Amino acid sequence: MPIALGIETSCDDTCVSLVNERGQVLFNGAQNQDLLHDRYGGIVPELAGRNHSLYLLPLIEKALKIVSVNQIDVIGVTNRPGLLGSLLVGYVTAQTLGMTWNKPVIGVNHIEGHILSPFLWSKEKITEKQTLSNPSKISAEKPLISQAGKRSVISPEDSGTQILYPLLALIVSGGHSHLFYMKGEEEVFLLGCTLDDSAGEALDKLARLLELPFPGGPQIERQARGVLLPEKRFFSRINTKGLAFSFSGIKSAARRLIESHSPEWLKENQERLCAEYQQVIVSHLMEKLDLAFQLYPCRQVVIGGGVIANGLLRDSLKKWAFEKKVEWAVPQPSYCTDNAAMIAFAGIRQFLRGKIHLSACSPRHLEKDFFSRQILPS
Ligand code: AMP
Ligand code: MG
């Protein structure tokens, strides 16, 4: 079965993965740089790029203990969007390996990878000794995919083919808040995106104001756990037109609130603040998803990106999908944040569709993308 080597270095995570055409992850290696950037309160692009060049080759060496070079059919590499210095490390490495090994290299849009991330699945534990020649020895994990609101187990043979079109995809990460409608793999329409900051950025910002570690999303979720929300709220609902998102207003509201109160007040109200902030952000995302579903009825709704690791968002999606009787899919926790498995999967699917564009995969080649902008029906 065709196998792709995936390389992802668009931001601060160095990731290498091996995925087959069914979306089965054979190897998923990542080295994050959270501790390094934490002391600066956010990602420092120069440091991120330099560290990718330290971490990438050792991860590729690990992957090559799982399969040999001649078992790899194609290399998928994130070539957009992202920090240019970071992207270049992955891109040049992929091109060099492609030339040396005589393998095609496919440039993948990072967001396309996130859309496919719910369809990745993996064996429980892959050790360096387990090879592709004895895959039957390992039991498969359950992909988190619904059947009309109910969780179902999909057999390994079926995994990776459960994408149902038309579908709505919401991508919520540290860099993106994008809503797509897909009629098919090649017919992707951008319905809406953020007017300012992303959902992940807003969560990271509040954590920073509260002097909680980076990345902030999981910290906010931890603080919010078990908090009962009072009727009178610190933050009002986010109001935007159509299918556009906006998170800069709530960021500023949180900053003003924190600056205008004493440290004692803050200590007393920190958990409530986090819970309300998280609630408003999740409601905004779900409101737009619901509106998109009214305008573009679909068979399946998927959410990808780091913010879907959030329990409240996952639960809200499942509850909503159950009410609407629509199928949903979210990634397993290890494929929510940036990873190379989603890039390998997108790469191998393009490869199998015959989309090989060697010269077009440089990080500067941004003009042509995998999606078009959809004009909303009036
Ligand atoms: P990505 O850009 O896809 O790697 O996602 C990173 C973003 O996801 C950061 O903004 C994180 O704060 C956010 N994130 C990660 N885990 C959670 C969580 N449990 N709840 C909310 N946001 C999260
Ligand atoms: Mg991402």
Side-chain angles (χ1 to χ4, degrees):
M1 191 183 301
I3 291 173
L5 172 75
I7 296 178
E8 153 65 44
T9 61
S10 64
C11 194
D12 64 329
D13 293 321
T14 317
C15 313
V16 172
S17 200
L18 291 165
V19 173
N20 70 20
E21 82 176 287
R22 289 188 184 140
Q24 182 186 4
V25 182
L26 309 168
F27 172 79
N28 193 35
Q31 174 67 55
N32 77 41
Q33 306 177 14
D34 291 350
L35 280 180
L36 180 73
H37 298 282
D38 184 26
R39 75 179 97 131
Y40 302 100
I43 293 157
V44 183
E46 165 101 15
L47 285 181
R50 279 199 230 169
N51 281 281
H52 285 312
S53 64
L54 284 180
Y55 300 146
L56 188 54
L57 287 178
L59 283 174
I60 293 172
E61 276 186 330
K62 274 193 184 171
L64 293 177
K65 289 185 177 153
I66 305 289
V67 299
S68 62
V69 169
N70 56 19
Q71 285 175 286
I72 296 171
D73 295 275
V74 60
I75 302 168
V77 59
T78 306
N79 69 346
R80 65 203 192 279
L83 305 170
L84 193 59
S86 291
L87 286 168
L88 281 169
V89 177
Y91 169 73
V92 171
T93 306
Q95 288 290 54
T96 308
L97 293 178
M99 280 182 197
T100 315
W101 297 342
N102 197 21
K103 311 273 179 196
V105 179
I106 301 226
V108 174
N109 185 309
H110 181 86
I111 308 175
E112 186 180 359
H114 275 303
I115 295 176
L116 289 172
S117 65
F119 304 99
L120 293 165
W121 57 289
S122 54
K123 302 283 170 74
E124 227 103 56
K125 268 195 190 120
I126 297 192
T127 67
E128 286 173 12
K129 280 195 191 117
Q130 284 161 335
T131 64
L132 288 176
S133 52
N134 65 351
S136 56
K137 283 194 177 161
I138 326 161
S139 67
E141 259 180 40
K142 299 167 192 174
L144 296 174
I145 298 177
S146 72
Q147 290 296 334
K150 279 192 201 132
R151 227 170 116 156
S152 68
V153 182
I154 288 160
S155 74
E157 284 70 32
D158 294 331
S159 293
T161 58
Q162 292 296 306
I163 307 173
L164 302 171
Y165 296 111
L167 69 73
L168 279 171
L170 172 64
I171 303 306
V172 271
S173 68
H176 310 100
S177 299
H178 281 52
L179 196 46
F180 295 99
Y181 177 70
M182 295 175 72
K183 286 186 190 164
E185 199 126 2
E186 303 265 326
E187 281 184 287
V188 188
F189 301 96
L190 177 66
L191 301 180
C193 57
T194 180
L195 300 171
D196 38 60
D197 303 311
S198 70
E201 246 175 298
L203 290 160
D204 291 340
K205 176 71 179 179
L206 176 63
R208 211 160 118 193
L209 288 168
L210 296 172
E211 296 176 2
L212 296 169
F214 175 84
Q219 303 292 332
I220 303 293
E221 180 171 22
R222 204 162 299 142
Q223 296 280 322
R225 202 161 288 152
V227 174
L228 289 175
L229 295 181
E231 225 162 87
K232 196 166 179 309
R233 303 287 172 89
F234 291 136
F235 306 108
S236 48
R237 169 181 165 266
I238 302 170
N239 201 0
T240 53
K241 276 198 184 144
L243 294 172
F245 299 102
S246 171
F247 299 97
S248 66
I250 191 167
K251 257 173 65 175
S252 308
R255 184 178 44 78
R256 281 194 302 271
L257 194 71
I258 291 168
E259 284 173 359
S260 62
H261 286 88
S262 67
E264 293 73 35
W265 179 91
L266 201 56
K267 209 169 166 201
E268 210 169 290
N269 288 280
Q270 179 158 307
E271 290 178 354
R272 181 183 150 197
L273 200 78
C274 291
E276 290 193 21
Y277 193 86
Q278 175 183 259
Q279 170 71 50
V280 172
I281 288 177
V282 168
S283 299
H284 184 47
L285 293 171
M286 289 308 302
E287 252 176 51
K288 296 301 174 188
L289 190 63
D290 184 59
L291 178 60
F293 184 69
Q294 287 172 40
L295 295 169
Y296 300 93
C298 62
R299 291 178 67 200
Q300 190 174 43
V301 173
V302 308
I303 305 189
V307 180
I308 190 59
N310 184 271
L312 181 65
L313 182 57
R314 284 172 104 91
D315 289 347
S316 304
L317 170 71
K318 290 174 201 172
K319 201 166 152 249
W320 174 86
F322 187 78
E323 279 165 15
K324 302 288 170 188
K325 296 189 173 36
V326 63
E327 307 243 2
W328 55 268
V330 295
Q332 289 172 11
S334 41
Y335 310 127
C336 289
T337 47
D338 291 347
N339 65 85
M342 63 187 195
I343 304 303
F345 194 32
I348 203 160
R349 292 175 78 90
Q350 285 189 32
F351 171 69
L352 294 171
R353 293 201 305 275
K355 288 190 91 180
I356 301 176
H357 35 76
L358 282 174
S359 60
C361 89
S362 126
R364 290 177 63 202
H365 190 91
L366 291 169
E367 306 87 55
K368 278 203 158 186
D369 229 309
F370 75 103
F371 60 79
S372 333
R373 213 165 253 277
Q374 178 84 316
I375 310 296
L376 288 178
S378 49

